[in-house]
Structures are given as C-alpha cells and as structure tokens.
Amino acid sequence: MNTAILLIGGNMGDRPKFLQQAASLIAARAGRILRESTMYETAPWGDVQQPDYLNQALVVETTMEASVLLDVLLEIEKEIGRVRRQKWGSRVIDIDLIFFNNEVITLPQLKVPHPQMQNRRFVLAPLQEIIPQWVHPILQLTVDQLLEACPDPLPAHKFIAAAH
C-alpha cells in the first residue's frame, strides 16, 4: 500500500461542492481516504485578480504507483470541469500530489514532494491539521516546522460555510 498526500482546491462556482465531489471521486477511483482536513479559504496566489480559493488536504491509501495516480487525478479534474488555460488562473478544481510515501520523484510530468509546497501557507495549513509530524524527504523538516518557517504572507483561514 502507498500513502499519497493530496491537496484539492478551487475558486470557481460552488467551491465546497466541487471539493466534496473531488474527494468522492478520489475515494471511488484512487483509494481510501484515511484523513481529511477542514476546508481552508485563502487569497489567490500568482494572478490575484480572481476569487478566493478553498483548499483541503487528504491522506489517501492507494495501491497505485505515483504516475498512475497522477493520471487518475488529472482525469477526475477534467470530469469535474477543469480547463487548463493559464498558470495560476481560476479553476473549478485542482488536485495536487504533495507527498507520495517518503519518495522523491522527478519526472517531466510529476515532481514529488511538490516543489513549492514549503512556500505556500494554503498547502501547509491544511497539512498541519492532519499530518503535523510528516517529514519532508528532501528538506528533512516536519510540516509543523515548514509552516513555522513559511515565507508566504497570505493567511489561510478555516472555512465556515454560510447557513442556507
């Protein structure tokens, strides 16, 4: 069995619904979700003229190898409605593979651990909630330590859905 740490997020449409849909499809096609963080709301990174994002971290137990898992995740993104137009552009859903076991993977289409995760509070805050002592296999720091040292000034707040 493999352990994959994912970050799902999006900033278009019914954000909580799309995150729940992504988690359901991941559970159905990729493996069992062992833990999931609260949803976090954050300001956009990169192109800031867009709505705020919701992000959530998942710990998934899977029999798939990392590259096969990536293909499944990209297929799920497409099914939910992801269209890749521009880097850092608005999106319905984004599914990133942050960690895969304790492996370091460098392929043209996949880099694990995610190369920018230590610089992004919107990744680290939800990870800290569910895997605070996970050690980054290259930096040799825990998620707690990475969040403490994170240079990203954008806050990540737990998302409280409005009552309907």
Side-chain angles (χ1 to χ4, degrees):
M1 263 314 165
N2 295 306
T3 301
I5 310 301
L6 308 179
L7 187 79
I8 60 176
N11 71 337
M12 294 172 65
D14 187 342
R15 301 172 306 161
K17 185 187 107 193
F18 289 131
L19 265 59
Q20 289 165 347
Q21 185 181 2
S24 294
L25 289 169
I26 289 165
R29 297 185 194 160
R32 194 161 64 99
I33 296 176
L34 302 179
R35 293 185 28 235
E36 55 188 333
S37 73
T38 308
M39 291 181 190
Y40 285 75
E41 191 164 36
T42 56
W45 226 85
D47 175 7
V48 295
Q49 298 304 311
Q50 55 180 299
D52 286 352
Y53 279 81
L54 273 192
N55 290 291
Q56 182 178 32
L58 307 173
V59 177
V60 179
E61 183 181 68
T62 183
T63 57
M64 296 174 184
E65 288 305 315
S67 58
V68 175
L69 176 61
L70 177 66
D71 290 341
V72 170
L73 299 176
L74 291 172
E75 202 51 48
I76 290 169
E77 284 184 350
K78 199 185 310 181
E79 187 173 324
I80 293 173
R82 170 84 188 257
V83 178
R84 292 177 183 273
R85 287 195 188 94
Q86 70 182 77
K87 187 171 180 147
W88 295 327
S90 289
R91 61 202 64 167
V92 170
I93 193 69
D94 186 32
I95 306 172
D96 284 328
L97 182 51
I98 306 297
F99 292 118
F100 191 82
N101 300 321
N102 291 312
E103 295 176 29
V104 176
I105 302 168
T106 306
L107 299 169
Q109 74 281 16
L110 178 63
K111 295 193 180 6
V112 175
H114 190 287
Q116 291 300 317
M117 54 110 21
Q118 68 276 8
N119 298 319
R120 296 180 175 163
R121 193 169 301 279
F122 70 85
V123 175
L124 293 168
L127 288 180
Q128 184 194 38
E129 184 183 323
I130 58 174
I131 55 163
Q133 295 307 309
W134 188 283
V135 177
H136 190 294
I138 297 170
L139 302 175
Q140 293 299 307
L141 296 170
T142 65
V143 170
D144 268 343
Q145 291 168 323
L146 291 170
L147 182 58
E148 194 172 307
C150 182
D152 182 0
L154 299 173
H157 301 290
K158 286 186 179 184
F159 176 72
I160 287 83
H164 294 285

